[in-house]
Amino acid sequence: MPAPEPGRAPGRRTARFGVVDPATGETVDEVPDQHPDELDAVVGRAHRAWRGWRADPAARATALRVAADAVETAGGSLARLLTREQGKPLAESYAEIDRTAARLRYFADLAPRTRRITDGRPVHSEIRWRSLGPVAAIVPWNFPLQLAAAKFAPALAAGNTMVLKPSPFTPLATRLLGSVLATALPEDVLTVVTGREPLGARLASHPGIRHVTFTGSVPTGRAVAGAAAASLARVTLELGGNDAAVLLDDVEVDRIADRLFWAAFRNCGQVCMAVKRVYAPARLHAEVVEALARRAKTVAVGPGLDPETRLGPVSNAPQLARVEQVTKRALADGARAAAGGHRLDGPGCFFAPTILTDVPPDSPVVTEEQFGPVLPVLPYRSLDEAVDAANGTGFGLGGSVWGADPDRAEAVAGRLECGTAWINHHAELSLAQPFAGVKNSGVGIAGGPWGFYGNLRPFVVHRPQEE
Ligand code: NAD
């Protein structure tokens, strides 16, 4: 067993770490750096709370609806804190809070369906559904609240309890959300824990956890799956993406340019299913680059709390360093920045919105997930070439096809190897849809009834039919 870090020995609960505002570089606040040994008590309490929580579906649904109201009431405080620690424009923080409340209401309305099996045998067979127990949720820093809600809303609605670990970059709004939810939920039904690694790894491997639901990068997802193997807990992984937008030769560039730009740059490009690569017909390539570069050069970049801001800072210093590194590498590989291409002066983590052209297809900004305000635009000569390039990645989260004829675009979209495809837009999701990536983009299904059943187990009863 590794030696405890200084100041993190069991019983010493005073260790804390600072959370930095990426717009200013200032520390917003500190949170407890919880020792992994604290998880035994936390998971134990979650297990005891499960007994009462699982027993009464109607009371659960009512509590979740009250929780949704409480989230909306606290919306202003949650949104400001979220913007300060994450960087996104305030309007996007409010949208995240709306989606958090919407998820609570959506899943509060779901109930598992008991089903009879009718297979001709003289047996009355019935499939019922039962909750699993304490669920561990581990989430990233790009959408701290709505991704947490995507996990706790279905898990709690299904009768489980939850231990939720936010990213150490964005724990503040999640902690506030935890206390808001505590006004509506019984004690220990949802517990937020904060701390640096190995807190997440220990949570994923804790023997009292029955389902580990994780959103984050592919390498961490692999580590989480490995950790959960210790207790053979169920694992759901929502991982990275490298979504392609394929533009067809009949596309009206001016008409789609705004939508395409925001599909790539919303939340400063830090969206698992942002457009991360654009494939344009060679004939239209220069026009597409020019339309996107115009927007990149004029979009209002600034602190998220400024009402004029449309694009905030990159969310944290390590991510800024990564965005800068993949961009420099692309430029060194022969790419040209039609807009941006560099970080911006000042104390915050600002990077100029960047459109790259002449990018070699094997440059990491194309083959990997850049997760920032940088977009490569690549030309193609034949549609087969474009579809092959779009699919030629280890990821498979989403993809989109853009053109004047939606039927033709939809036919091309059907050839994309991904979980969700869009025509003439990108990354719009319904609460009622299954959300599942293929290849390295994920394991298991979140969203809709599928995500709900992902938090339940079947319990089947067979009884001979009466004479
Ligand atoms: P990350 O993988 O670095 O971290 C995610 C979470 O895992 C954080 O809470 C982190 O503290 C924790 N963690 C780190 N090491 C761990 C370990 N060994 N065991 C357990 N937990 C550990 O991801 P990130 O940088 O916070 O987020 C960005 C990534 O998330 C991108 O790859 C993005 O595509 C992905 N993402 C995916 C989706 C989706 O739904 N598919 C949604 C949003 C973000």
Side-chain angles (χ1 to χ4, degrees), residues 138-143 147 165-169 195-204 214-221 223-224 227 237-241 270-273 276 316 319 369 371 395 397 435 441-442:
I138 301 176
V139 297
W141 45 258
N142 59 337
F143 290 96
L147 290 175
K165 194 202 80 66
S167 164
F169 291 112
R196 293 174 285 192
E197 282 314 300
L199 189 66
R202 282 279 288 278
L203 179 59
F214 169 84
T215 298
S217 63
V218 174
T220 312
V224 164
L237 304 174
E238 295 172 51
L239 306 178
Q270 302 160 130
V271 181
C272 55
M273 44 173 49
K276 298 200 174 113
N316 53 69
Q319 188 58 24
E369 193 187 25
F371 220 62
F395 296 99
L397 205 52
F435 182 73
S441 287

Side-chain angles (χ1 to χ4, degrees), residues 88-359:
K88 63 182 65 186
L90 202 51
E92 289 187 31
S93 289
Y94 273 107
E96 203 174 315
I97 285 143
D98 286 350
R99 285 192 282 267
T100 299
R103 283 192 160 118
L104 281 163
R105 293 198 180 99
Y106 174 82
F107 286 103
D109 286 344
L110 295 191
R113 265 189 29 207
T114 298
R115 283 175 59 162
R116 288 272 305 273
I117 298 173
T118 46
D119 60 2
R121 293 173 311 129
V123 177
H124 177 101
S125 301
E126 200 170 84
I127 309 169
R128 302 172 193 167
W129 294 91
R130 295 199 161 166
S131 56
L132 304 169
V135 175
I138 301 176
V139 297
W141 45 258
N142 59 337
F143 290 96
L145 300 187
Q146 83 180 58
L147 290 175
K151 301 190 177 310
F152 64 66
L156 300 188
N160 306 288
T161 53
M162 174 165 281
V163 180
L164 165 64
K165 194 202 80 66
S167 164
F169 291 112
T170 52
L172 297 175
T174 311
R175 265 167 67 86
L176 178 58
L177 178 66
S179 44
V180 169
L181 295 173
T183 62
L185 305 175
E187 204 174 4
D188 299 324
V189 162
L190 175 76
T191 307
V192 177
V193 293
T194 56
R196 293 174 285 192
E197 282 314 300
L199 189 66
R202 282 279 288 278
L203 179 59
S205 64
H206 197 284
I209 293 293
R210 298 319 312 146
H211 177 198
V212 182
T213 170
F214 169 84
T215 298
S217 63
V218 174
T220 312
R222 286 203 176 93
V224 164
S231 60
L232 291 176
R234 184 180 296 182
V235 174
T236 305
L237 304 174
E238 295 172 51
L239 306 178
N242 192 6
D243 291 10
V246 176
L247 275 48
L248 301 183
D249 53 10
D250 60 355
V251 77
E252 293 168 63
V253 176
D254 269 350
R255 204 162 161 184
I256 59 124
D258 263 336
R259 244 175 299 148
L260 182 60
F261 179 81
W262 285 111
F265 285 88
R266 186 169 70 96
N267 200 20
C268 213
Q270 302 160 130
V271 181
C272 55
M273 44 173 49
V275 167
K276 298 200 174 113
R277 305 171 281 155
V278 173
Y279 291 94
R283 184 176 64 79
L284 295 176
H285 180 257
E287 188 184 341
V288 173
V289 168
E290 149 66 17
L292 293 172
R294 209 167 45 240
R295 283 156 180 85
K297 285 175 184 164
T298 51
V299 67
V301 179
L305 288 179
D306 180 341
E308 300 296 313
T309 293
R310 297 291 312 277
L311 210 67
V314 174
S315 200
N316 53 69
Q319 188 58 24
L320 176 65
R322 160 144 183 82
V323 168
E324 187 175 35
Q325 184 217 327
V326 289
T327 306
K328 278 187 169 162
R329 168 75 190 272
L331 296 172
D333 288 344
R336 186 174 63 78
H342 52 87
R343 65 162 81 188
L344 295 173
D345 289 340
C349 294
F350 290 98
F351 198 85
T354 297
I355 303 296
L356 294 176
T357 181
D358 303 331
V359 191

